Amino acid sequence: MSDPKNNGTSRSNGVNPDKDVNAQNLPGQRGDQGETIRVQRGMFGARNGGDTSGYGGLVRTVRLPGESARPYGGWFDEVADELEGALEEQGLAPENAIEKTVVDRGELTFHIAREHLPRVARTLRDDPALRFELCTGVSGVHFPGDKGRELHAVYHLRSITHNRLIRLEVGAPDSDPHVPSIVDVYPTNDWHERETYDFFGLVFDGHPALTRIMMPDDWQGFPQRKDYPLGGIPVEYKGAQIPAPDQRRSYS
Amino acid sequence: MSTSPASARDTTEGTVYTVTGGDWDEIAAAAKQADDERIIVNMGPQHPSTHGVLRLILEIDGETVTEARCGIGYLHTGIEKNLEFRNWTQGTTFVTRMDYLTSFYNETAYCLGVERLLGIEEQIPDRATVVRVLLMELNRLSSHLVAIATGGMELGATTIMIYGFRDREMILDLYELITGLRMNHAYVRPGGLAQDLPPGAVDAVREFVKKMRRNLPEYDKLATGNPIFKARMQDVGYLDLAGCLALGATGPILRAAGLPHDLRKAQPYCGYDTYDFEVPTADTCDAYGRFLIRLEEMRQSLRIVEQCLDRLAPGAVMVADKKIAWPAQLALGPDGLGNSLDHIKKIMGTSMEALIHHFKLVTEGFRVPPGQAYAAVESPKGELGVHVVSDGGTRPYRVHFRDPSFTNLQAMAAMCEGGQVADVIVAVASIDPVMGGVDR
């Protein structure tokens, strides 16, 4: 664990466990690369004084796995080369479309600039060397701490021809929650984009009929955003009051 | 009173919406003006042939369906949101309730995702993996049996319904013996299984395989060659390969279009590459082809179940890493399943450290390094994908299920439009949607 006296961002001597990439016993220490999604202070959910845990000064920056450098390994390089080449052929500089490439836990992720998403998706589907025929839909993720791109749309594409799976990730700010729709490339995303709109308020521009799909049509708010409460009531169990799930102690 | 059908006004207690019906005389006059028999029918959300609370909105011209749409969301329970407020292990208790006919697939897919995030995929004991495969294949049988039984019932073939549920009952009995519950098991846990197989389980499964091999030909005798059954199923719910891939349809629907795509072969997980089985296909693209595929897949599943029984070797069913392995030692007590009294005696009486460890792991849970993972399994209905995101905490940051029922149901319009009303029932039954999975 981190030294509570230090603020976690600057260390002068010794190995900072937060930045020790080789540390095996610490969760998620992957250098200072990657997106900062959260800064944790203290522990055991003690946030408003009276902290007797001894962890009150703990500051830990939580980052998602950062950008990977070439070679990515295996067929990942082949897909990246083909995609870059195909985009160049269409007169689109790959570095403008692909913001970064992350290889983590044996999975390949391309972070795509949102305005170029339909073009990239079409290229991935149609290029004979890529041929990602099957899209398994879109999953939204809300990172309130990731300033400027709080809302992420994550797509998984499967190539049956080449037996491969890749991930595309697109970010959009809370203030402008727009991502182009890829329903005309992958019609299967019709309901998936409606679901992500319903739960996260991500507006997929160009979708044929972007309406709520799970929640009632007149529902207000977007339930799976992190600032949307879970709700619930305290229940009695064996004489004790058990608070609602979102009121219980959190260890994260 | 407002005059328009729908209006809103602000009051001190918030906005009040008023929705009033239209004028019946106007509607009747407009209907009189129309010269065709075009009507819009709401089928469901409470209808015996819609597989739960599915609402079908059909525009009908005579007996022909000109437009078909689905209304879903009636069974939305917010499971994905709820998962974010429970620890990683508690997650299986929720996901098992999504598609309640394929519980073991939901649990295993979720656990494979969590295990990938933890980086312990290689450390899962063999016995746990074999039992997972065993239960998943039994689950494929029970899910297909329900698909065939309810699909038959909706055609009026009640005998096939009785047969299907009779055989499924034997599988539910096995579940009860192994996990303690007939449905909603929460038996597969991140790192392995909740507990080992009970004594007598292997014999019971062997006995079941024997009985099932005897019962399976009955479906052939009853339905496969039956001219009425074939007349109702053939060329109904047509969806070709291009349509399947565009609409993301997987599972029996895709294989009925002739593509032998099965994740167990294409991207093997849980050691499926070491099992001997075949992937059946059909080239008819219709409901009859999907029925034949389900029937053949049940035979193949029996083969896999037998191979699992043969390779079951004694051993642990939970990872050795004590920082992850669930500490409970479950045993059957007088008031049902619970912690074994010996284990409680040990942690309460002799080992303070074990008590602390147990308490920490159960109340707080383990931490999962930040990042995301996608794990997919071939469920009886198609590709069941799980997108798991962790922020390094003891609770999932986000879990998204790509449920095959949800995706496949989109193909309903393409299968039904232009066909007869009665064929809508057959087409929907051949998709085999389970609303618990569709709405989550």
Side-chain angles (χ1 to χ4, degrees), chain A residues 168-187:
Chain A
L168 302 183
E169 196 164 334
V170 182
D174 256 343
S175 53
D176 177 33
H178 288 264
V179 168
S181 167
I182 57 166
V183 169
D184 54 343
V185 185
Y186 294 108

Side-chain angles (χ1 to χ4, degrees), chain B residues 96-107:
Chain B
T96 189
R97 284 160 170 78
M98 286 184 168
D99 183 341
Y100 41 82
L101 294 185
T102 61
S103 304
F104 288 113
Y105 291 90
N106 301 342
E107 294 173 21

